[in-house]
Amino acid sequence: MPADRSRPRVLVTGASGVLGRSLAGRAAAGGYVVRGTGRGVTGPGDEWTRCNLASGEGVDAAVQDVHTVIHAASSPKGDTERTDVHGTMRLLEAARRAGVRHVVYVSVVGIDRVPYAYYRHKLAAEREMQAGRVPWTILRGTQFHEFVDTMFAGMMKLPAGFVPTDFQSQPVHVDEFADALWECVAAGPMKRAPDVAGPQVLRFGAMMRAWKAARGIRKPVIHLPLPGAVAAALRRGGATAPEHAVGRMTWEEWLRERYGTALP
Ligand SMILES: NC(=O)c1ccc[n+]([C@@H]2O[C@H](COP(=O)([O-])OP(=O)(O)OC[C@H]3O[C@@H](n4cnc5c(N)ncnc54)[C@H](OP(=O)(O)O)[C@@H]3O)[C@@H](O)[C@H]2O)c1
């Protein structure tokens, strides 16, 4: 239970990540004490405690005296099953033992439509939440602008970019998504909260043109017709949620803010 009842303590897992840093920076308005956690020795938040969800080290200590957990830690490029599925199970068990009142799980739009291995693990983690060890909320969001930016930089490393230009995306500003998570904390357990998606559904081709213009990159882009079920689902818009286009900042506005260049 929180030591100071007027300022509930919220544990943010993955506090050193893109979303975690935004969450920690936007907690003050709600009057929360943020305890950040991750594998590093320090990180964002009013307090920091080290924990590794894959090994279980530090998990019990991390949830002590915590009112609500926002579970944002994830390892898409590492051992996803150990961190995202078993780690979530471990975190929930520890939270139940410690008397945590509410866990908010950060999830991704389309994990039940796009048959990508990482998404299957996110779906398995959602099922751990739904088992109800602790009262819960799941909030799914679409891709953050930062994620698309990093992905496009990877696609443009060679002298020409090879891009699946027909994939659909609906990027959302990470701060808008963080605000929606804080609203979930304030509202209390509600099971599945309404998805949070960006204001526009766009094709990678148009997004890449704007990205190149913002960065002053002139390399050619060659369409990459990717085979397989994951690519087909992304072409169909499996990772978008047009009916939940609640985000306000567009991709072009974000590029202007990030790179400070005027787009044509
Ligand atoms: N990126 C997107 O576009 C997007 C969109 C919608 C939803 N989401 C979801 O939002 C969440 C955060 O995404 P993000 O982009 O902010 O991720 P990120 O920048 O990659 O951060 C991941 C965080 O997880 C922590 N972490 C990884 N392995 C860990 C472990 N074994 N034990 C403890 N902590 C561990 C990392 O901390 P250390 O490395 O410091 O330990 C880091 O703080 C994820 O659940 C993701 O699925 C992401």
Side-chain angles (χ1 to χ4, degrees), residues 14 16-19 39 52-53 72 74 106 118 122 142 144 147:
S16 56
V18 172
L19 175 62
R39 290 167 297 180
N52 185 336
L53 289 169
S74 183
V106 180
Y118 173 57
K122 295 287 295 185
T142 51
F144 307 146
F147 173 83

Side-chain angles (χ1 to χ4, degrees), residues 71 73-74 80-81 83-89 92 103-113 118-141 177 191-196:
H71 180 26
S74 183
T80 311
E81 188 165 20
T83 304
D84 291 66
V85 187
H86 302 158
T88 298
M89 203 185 321
L92 290 168
V103 179
V104 181
Y105 182 62
V106 180
S107 195
V108 182
V109 163
I111 55 172
D112 41 5
R113 291 190 296 254
Y118 173 57
Y119 284 5
R120 274 200 295 275
H121 289 137
K122 295 287 295 185
L123 207 51
E126 283 195 358
R127 284 193 208 101
E128 294 299 334
M129 292 289 299
Q130 289 157 353
R133 296 173 183 87
V134 180
W136 55 277
T137 300
I138 292 172
L139 183 70
R140 292 182 180 178
F177 187 62
K191 300 192 160 64
R192 181 80 188 274
D195 296 349
V196 172

Side-chain angles (χ1 to χ4, degrees), residues 3-171:
D4 173 359
R5 283 185 163 271
S6 63
R7 294 191 71 206
R9 180 179 281 114
V10 177
L11 176 74
V12 176
T13 74
S16 56
V18 172
L19 175 62
R21 283 192 299 270
S22 173
L23 281 166
R26 301 175 81 74
Y32 302 107
V33 175
V34 171
R35 176 183 291 168
T37 186
R39 290 167 297 180
V41 284
T42 58
D46 304 302
E47 314 171 342
W48 180 262
T49 173
R50 200 174 180 184
C51 102
N52 185 336
L53 289 169
S55 68
E57 184 197 343
V59 177
D60 279 307
V63 294
Q64 281 314 306
D65 302 318
V66 162
H67 185 279
T68 297
V69 176
I70 303 179
H71 180 26
S74 183
S75 181
K77 292 187 195 132
D79 189 341
T80 311
E81 188 165 20
R82 267 186 84 206
T83 304
D84 291 66
V85 187
H86 302 158
T88 298
M89 203 185 321
R90 254 183 217 112
L91 177 72
L92 290 168
E93 284 295 343
R96 183 188 56 75
R97 287 193 295 271
V100 169
R101 311 271 180 88
H102 181 199
V103 179
V104 181
Y105 182 62
V106 180
S107 195
V108 182
V109 163
I111 55 172
D112 41 5
R113 291 190 296 254
V114 182
Y116 171 41
Y118 173 57
Y119 284 5
R120 274 200 295 275
H121 289 137
K122 295 287 295 185
L123 207 51
E126 283 195 358
R127 284 193 208 101
E128 294 299 334
M129 292 289 299
Q130 289 157 353
R133 296 173 183 87
V134 180
W136 55 277
T137 300
I138 292 172
L139 183 70
R140 292 182 180 178
T142 51
Q143 273 60 50
F144 307 146
H145 296 121
E146 286 81 355
F147 173 83
V148 180
D149 183 40
T150 305
M151 179 174 56
F152 280 5
M155 288 175 179
M156 294 302 286
K157 273 196 182 134
L158 297 173
F162 294 90
V163 178
T165 53
D166 48 4
F167 280 12
Q168 297 190 57
S169 178
Q170 193 178 355

